[in-house]
Amino acid sequence: MQNKTRILTFCAIMTALGVLFLLMAAVLPGMRIAFTAVASVVAALSVIKGGLAYGLLTVVATAVLSALLVPAKEVALLYAVFFGPYTLAKNLIERLHNLPLEWVLKLLFCGAVSALLFLFADSVLALVPALLASHMLLFLPAVLAAFAAYDIVFSKLIAYLFGQLHIGRWN
Protein backbone atom coordinates (compact mmCIF):
# COMPACT_ATOMS: atom_id res chain seq x y z
CA MET A 1 0.00 0.00 0.00
CA GLN A 2 2.80 2.40 0.87
CA ASN A 3 4.46 1.84 -2.52
CA LYS A 4 1.22 2.63 -4.37
CA THR A 5 0.81 5.79 -2.30
CA ARG A 6 4.36 6.86 -3.17
CA ILE A 7 3.78 6.22 -6.86
CA LEU A 8 0.47 8.09 -6.80
CA THR A 9 2.11 11.01 -5.00
CA PHE A 10 4.92 11.01 -7.55
CA CYS A 11 2.34 11.05 -10.37
CA ALA A 12 0.51 13.95 -8.72
CA ILE A 13 3.77 15.90 -8.57
CA MET A 14 4.46 15.07 -12.22
CA THR A 15 0.94 16.23 -13.11
CA ALA A 16 1.55 19.53 -11.33
CA LEU A 17 4.86 19.95 -13.14
CA GLY A 18 3.21 19.10 -16.45
CA VAL A 19 0.52 21.73 -15.91
CA LEU A 20 3.22 24.22 -14.88
CA PHE A 21 5.13 23.59 -18.13
CA LEU A 22 1.92 23.97 -20.12
CA LEU A 23 1.21 27.26 -18.34
CA MET A 24 4.71 28.38 -19.29
CA ALA A 25 3.97 27.38 -22.88
CA ALA A 26 0.90 29.61 -22.81
CA VAL A 27 2.81 32.57 -21.37
CA LEU A 28 5.83 32.25 -23.68
CA PRO A 29 4.36 31.91 -27.19
CA GLY A 30 7.75 31.37 -28.83
CA MET A 31 8.28 28.33 -26.66
CA ARG A 32 4.85 26.69 -26.96
CA ILE A 33 5.94 23.49 -28.61
CA ALA A 34 9.12 23.20 -26.54
CA PHE A 35 7.35 23.48 -23.19
CA THR A 36 4.55 21.21 -24.35
CA ALA A 37 7.18 18.62 -25.29
CA VAL A 38 8.82 18.99 -21.88
CA ALA A 39 5.44 18.32 -20.27
CA SER A 40 5.37 15.00 -22.12
CA VAL A 41 8.80 14.09 -20.76
CA VAL A 42 7.46 14.74 -17.26
CA ALA A 43 4.61 12.32 -17.99
CA ALA A 44 7.15 9.75 -19.14
CA LEU A 45 8.68 9.84 -15.67
CA SER A 46 5.34 8.60 -14.32
CA VAL A 47 5.43 5.74 -16.81
CA ILE A 48 8.95 4.90 -15.65
CA LYS A 49 8.05 5.07 -11.97
CA GLY A 50 4.66 3.39 -11.95
CA GLY A 51 4.07 1.76 -15.30
CA LEU A 52 1.66 2.46 -18.12
CA ALA A 53 -1.46 2.78 -15.93
CA TYR A 54 0.10 5.49 -13.77
CA GLY A 55 1.43 7.18 -16.88
CA LEU A 56 -2.06 7.20 -18.35
CA LEU A 57 -3.39 8.68 -15.10
CA THR A 58 -0.75 11.43 -15.26
CA VAL A 59 -1.44 12.22 -18.92
CA VAL A 60 -5.23 12.37 -18.42
CA ALA A 61 -4.96 14.45 -15.23
CA THR A 62 -2.51 16.85 -16.89
CA ALA A 63 -4.74 17.15 -19.96
CA VAL A 64 -7.89 17.82 -17.92
CA LEU A 65 -6.24 20.30 -15.56
CA SER A 66 -4.53 22.12 -18.41
CA ALA A 67 -7.84 22.38 -20.27
CA LEU A 68 -9.25 24.08 -17.18
CA LEU A 69 -6.26 26.20 -16.14
CA VAL A 70 -4.15 27.02 -19.18
CA PRO A 71 -5.36 30.18 -20.92
CA ALA A 72 -4.01 29.13 -24.33
CA LYS A 73 -6.37 26.27 -25.14
CA GLU A 74 -4.35 25.28 -28.20
CA VAL A 75 -1.49 24.34 -25.84
CA ALA A 76 -3.81 22.16 -23.78
CA LEU A 77 -5.17 20.59 -26.95
CA LEU A 78 -1.71 19.93 -28.39
CA TYR A 79 -0.76 18.15 -25.18
CA ALA A 80 -4.03 16.22 -24.92
CA VAL A 81 -4.05 15.07 -28.53
CA PHE A 82 -0.38 14.64 -29.38
CA PHE A 83 2.33 14.98 -26.75
CA GLY A 84 0.56 13.29 -23.84
CA PRO A 85 -0.68 10.24 -25.76
CA TYR A 86 2.64 9.95 -27.58
CA THR A 87 4.36 9.36 -24.25
CA LEU A 88 2.20 6.27 -23.77
CA ALA A 89 2.38 5.17 -27.40
CA LYS A 90 6.17 5.49 -27.39
CA ASN A 91 6.42 3.22 -24.39
CA LEU A 92 4.21 0.58 -26.01
CA ILE A 93 5.92 0.82 -29.40
CA GLU A 94 9.42 0.54 -27.95
CA ARG A 95 8.48 -2.71 -26.23
CA LEU A 96 8.59 -4.32 -29.68
CA HIS A 97 12.42 -4.06 -29.77
CA ASN A 98 12.34 -3.87 -33.58
CA LEU A 99 13.79 -0.51 -34.58
CA PRO A 100 12.49 -0.31 -38.18
CA LEU A 101 8.96 -1.30 -37.13
CA GLU A 102 9.12 1.10 -34.18
CA TRP A 103 9.97 4.01 -36.49
CA VAL A 104 7.20 3.10 -38.91
CA LEU A 105 4.65 3.03 -36.08
CA LYS A 106 5.94 6.26 -34.52
CA LEU A 107 5.82 8.08 -37.85
CA LEU A 108 2.33 6.72 -38.52
CA PHE A 109 1.22 8.01 -35.12
CA CYS A 110 2.71 11.43 -35.85
CA GLY A 111 1.26 11.59 -39.35
CA ALA A 112 -2.22 10.57 -38.27
CA VAL A 113 -2.39 12.97 -35.34
CA SER A 114 -0.84 15.79 -37.38
CA ALA A 115 -3.39 15.27 -40.12
CA LEU A 116 -6.22 15.46 -37.60
CA LEU A 117 -4.75 18.58 -36.02
CA PHE A 118 -4.32 20.23 -39.42
CA LEU A 119 -7.83 19.22 -40.44
CA PHE A 120 -9.47 20.72 -37.36
CA ALA A 121 -6.96 23.49 -36.69
CA ASP A 122 -8.20 25.60 -39.56
CA SER A 123 -11.92 25.14 -39.21
CA VAL A 124 -12.39 24.71 -35.47
CA LEU A 125 -9.42 26.21 -33.69
CA ALA A 126 -7.99 28.80 -36.07
CA LEU A 127 -4.51 27.56 -35.13
CA VAL A 128 -3.22 27.14 -38.64
CA PRO A 129 -3.81 29.66 -41.42
CA ALA A 130 -6.25 28.36 -44.03
CA LEU A 131 -3.59 28.39 -46.74
CA LEU A 132 -1.31 26.08 -44.73
CA ALA A 133 -4.14 23.80 -43.63
CA SER A 134 -5.27 23.30 -47.21
CA HIS A 135 -1.73 22.23 -48.19
CA MET A 136 -1.00 19.92 -45.28
CA LEU A 137 0.69 17.30 -47.47
CA LEU A 138 3.36 19.82 -48.41
CA PHE A 139 4.23 20.40 -44.76
CA LEU A 140 3.92 16.83 -43.53
CA PRO A 141 7.54 15.88 -44.41
CA ALA A 142 8.81 18.80 -42.33
CA VAL A 143 6.52 17.80 -39.46
CA LEU A 144 7.77 14.21 -39.62
CA ALA A 145 11.41 15.35 -39.68
CA ALA A 146 10.86 17.59 -36.66
CA PHE A 147 9.05 14.73 -34.93
CA ALA A 148 11.96 12.35 -35.58
CA ALA A 149 14.34 14.85 -33.98
CA TYR A 150 11.95 15.24 -31.04
CA ASP A 151 11.74 11.47 -30.58
CA ILE A 152 15.52 11.09 -30.56
CA VAL A 153 15.92 13.90 -28.00
CA PHE A 154 13.01 12.46 -25.97
CA SER A 155 14.72 9.04 -25.87
CA LYS A 156 18.09 10.49 -24.89
CA LEU A 157 16.51 12.62 -22.18
CA ILE A 158 14.59 9.65 -20.77
CA ALA A 159 17.76 7.55 -20.76
CA TYR A 160 19.61 10.35 -18.96
CA LEU A 161 16.86 10.83 -16.38
CA PHE A 162 16.58 7.08 -15.89
CA GLY A 163 20.30 6.93 -15.17
CA GLN A 164 20.31 9.97 -12.90
CA LEU A 165 17.11 9.39 -10.93
CA HIS A 166 17.13 5.58 -10.70
CA ILE A 167 13.33 5.56 -10.59
CA GLY A 168 12.31 2.49 -12.57
CA ARG A 169 12.18 0.94 -16.01
CA TRP A 170 11.05 2.56 -19.29
CA ASN A 171 10.07 -0.63 -21.11
Side-chain angles (χ1 to χ4, degrees), residues 19-67:
V19 172
L20 178 66
F21 283 123
L22 293 173
L23 282 166
M24 291 169 63
V27 174
L28 302 168
M31 299 295 290
R32 283 194 172 166
I33 293 178
F35 277 117
T36 307
V38 171
S40 71
V41 172
V42 170
L45 296 176
S46 292
V47 175
I48 293 169
K49 180 75 172 173
L52 204 55
Y54 285 100
L56 176 63
L57 178 64
T58 302
V59 167
V60 170
T62 303
V64 169
L65 287 172
S66 66

Side-chain angles (χ1 to χ4, degrees), residues 133-148:
S134 64
H135 294 91
M136 183 206 50
L137 291 178
L138 296 175
F139 297 99
L140 194 56
V143 169
L144 292 175
F147 168 77

Side-chain angles (χ1 to χ4, degrees), residues 67-142:
L68 295 171
L69 300 173
V70 174
K73 298 306 178 198
E74 63 273 11
V75 170
L77 178 71
L78 193 58
Y79 178 84
V81 174
F82 185 79
F83 286 102
Y86 181 68
T87 300
L88 305 172
K90 179 177 176 62
N91 180 267
L92 290 171
I93 290 169
E94 290 182 353
R95 291 178 184 187
L96 298 173
H97 300 290
N98 180 343
L99 196 56
L101 178 60
E102 290 173 18
W103 273 107
V104 167
L105 293 173
K106 289 175 183 180
L107 292 172
L108 282 172
F109 177 91
C110 177
V113 173
S114 296
L116 286 173
L117 283 173
F118 262 85
L119 179 68
F120 292 110
D122 173 40
S123 60
V124 178
L125 305 169
L127 288 176
V128 179
L131 180 64
L132 293 180
S134 64
H135 294 91
M136 183 206 50
L137 291 178
L138 296 175
F139 297 99
L140 194 56

